[in-house]
Amino acid sequence: MSNATVATPPRGATAAVAQVRYRSQAVAKPYFIAAIGLFIGQIVFGLIIGLQYVIGDFLFPAVPFGTARMVHTNLLIVWLLFGFMGAGYYLIPEESERELHSPRLAIITFWVFLVAGALTILGYLGLPYHELARLTGNDLLPTMGRGYLEQPLITKVGIVLVALSFLYNLSMTLLAGRKTSISIVMMLGLWGLAVFFLFSFVNPNNLVLDKYYWWWVVHLWVEGVWELIMGAMLAFVLVKVTGVDREVIEKWLYLIIAMTLITGIIGTGHHYFWIGVPAYWQLWGSIFSALEPVPFFMMTLFAFNMVKRRRREHPNQAATLWALGTGVMSFLGAGVWGFIGTLSVVNYYTHGTQVTASHGHMAFYGAYVMVVLTMISYTMPLLRGREANCAQAQKVEKTAFWVMTLSIVAITLCLTAAGAVQVWLQRMSATPLSFMETQERIMPIYWGRWVFGISFFCGLVLYVISFFVTGKRED
């Protein structure tokens, strides 16, 4: 395949018949479709466990709470990875100004990852976890049983092979083409994601060391290298929809990632407060965790500043809305709600309560869910042969944005209220209640959380529907 082949629209074409610049960018489409499909599955299982909070035997024993929660969190990780991969396959060729090194390899990687993921989920649902561990070789190298890293050994090996294939493909594309700040930051984030995942194979017998290295995957993903991926994706979309000089956006990007790494790496210490490591982590973890909202606030300023300085009115207003929403909601979820429980003197009381869950829900949605949806919103119309969806479709998509965003805010407020009550009744009261007695007291709040979960699901359905709405496009 000629690396210079560019899919350009015919002379006189309008925005209605816009095309991607490079034909191989089309491999991103199945990744994005799979991501949305898995996202729907994640929310369905979220609704199941939300109902199990208030109806304890719902779907028991067919789908126990522990299994449903494991599927919910694993689907979150997998669909975001599909989204990052789709973004990489679209972004890197365009930034490198050349075709993807091997579109065929990208498609093979897609099917291997999808089938492996589906079989793993079926294994969770169809087998007792200990039996799944026995059948998949966990005795050879024990790696299972830890939150977010429950995948069987063979699945973890498969993820490594998929990551190597993906990174080889993108790295070869980048090395042979133009290098930009956006593409370099994106690749640093993706390579970092793969490298830190290798610590999922480290499973010391010492529980303190186990937790120590476990956070090298979980924290240094979501509060480290994933933020580089997020920044690169947001910068890429803002370049496209605002027309602001690339140099201006790249300066912002460098500043944001510098603050991200400075605060995020040492900020890992806020997970070390109570696991048995030296006490100095309570000081260092508190200081640098308190600074972690700074890059997210900078990202908010970045998004709004770029849109304010825009040189064009891009027809894809829905993608612009998602980009602005990413800045605001990531700052609120990862920054403000992250700060609420991050100081050691506060975390002593809030650790492991619904306060932590409130931060997790809004942070994941604001930072990573929204940036993937931003990328999908911008690229999918192009992958379907137009610069933007029609006005009617964008109206539905914007409605979906507000329904999903307001719903996650409501869910976060419910969980925050539940956590505050939990902290008071269970940990600060002069006559503390037991865990189960406390849960009974906050049951009405859990019902509220579940109702808003239903509304979030409705917003997600609207988002999917928006891509099938047809009407007259504005050229």
Side-chain angles (χ1 to χ4, degrees), residues 326-398:
T326 299
V328 173
M329 294 300 293
S330 63
F331 170 64
L332 290 176
V336 176
W337 257 263
F339 178 77
I340 287 174
T342 199
L343 301 178
S344 60
V345 293
V346 177
N347 188 266
Y348 180 79
Y349 296 100
T350 64
H351 184 79
T353 68
Q354 296 297 337
V355 173
T356 304
S358 68
H359 158 60
H361 279 76
M362 188 182 279
F364 265 107
Y365 175 76
Y368 303 119
V369 171
M370 291 188 82
V371 79
V372 170
L373 295 183
T374 299
M375 195 74 183
I376 293 175
S377 181
Y378 171 73
T379 60
M380 281 298 280
L382 290 165
L383 291 167
R384 300 168 74 189
R386 49 185 177 268
E387 192 170 16
N389 289 328
C390 66
Q392 297 93 320
Q394 291 197 55
K395 183 176 180 180
V396 175
E397 185 177 350
K398 290 178 181 178

Side-chain angles (χ1 to χ4, degrees), residues 73-75 77-79 81-82 85 109 112-118 120-121 124 143 148-168 190-191 193-201 217 221 226:
T73 55
N74 278 235
L75 282 174
I77 294 168
V78 171
W79 89 257
L81 291 179
F82 268 103
M85 293 172 76
T109 301
V112 170
F113 194 21
L114 186 64
V115 171
T120 301
I121 297 300
Y124 291 158
T143 67
Y148 303 103
L149 302 177
E150 297 96 344
Q151 305 86 17
L153 175 62
I154 56 175
T155 300
K156 288 189 175 75
V157 172
I159 290 172
V160 171
L161 295 177
V162 164
L164 288 175
S165 168
F166 168 64
L167 291 169
Y168 164 79
L190 292 170
W191 270 104
L193 184 158
V195 168
F196 283 115
F197 181 74
L198 295 178
F199 285 96
S200 68
F201 292 92
V217 183
W221 265 14
W226 282 26

Side-chain angles (χ1 to χ4, degrees), residues 77 87 136 149 158 167 186 221 236 264 285-286 288 303 308 328 333 337 381 389 395 413 447 462 466:
I77 294 168
T136 55
L149 302 177
L167 291 169
M186 182 74 171
W221 265 14
F236 175 81
S286 296
F288 282 87
K308 182 179 179 180
V328 173
W337 257 263
N389 289 328
K395 183 176 180 180
L413 292 175
W447 273 113
L462 278 178
S466 71

Side-chain angles (χ1 to χ4, degrees), residues 9 71 84 122-123 169 171 186 190 197 212 223 255 287 300 309 359 376 388 394 419 435 449 456:
V71 173
F84 292 163
L122 291 175
N169 212 345
S171 297
M186 182 74 171
L190 292 170
F197 181 74
Y212 188 89
E223 295 173 74
L255 192 58
I287 292 172
T300 304
R309 298 172 62 172
H359 158 60
I376 293 175
Q394 291 197 55
F435 175 81
R449 187 263 303 267
F456 183 92

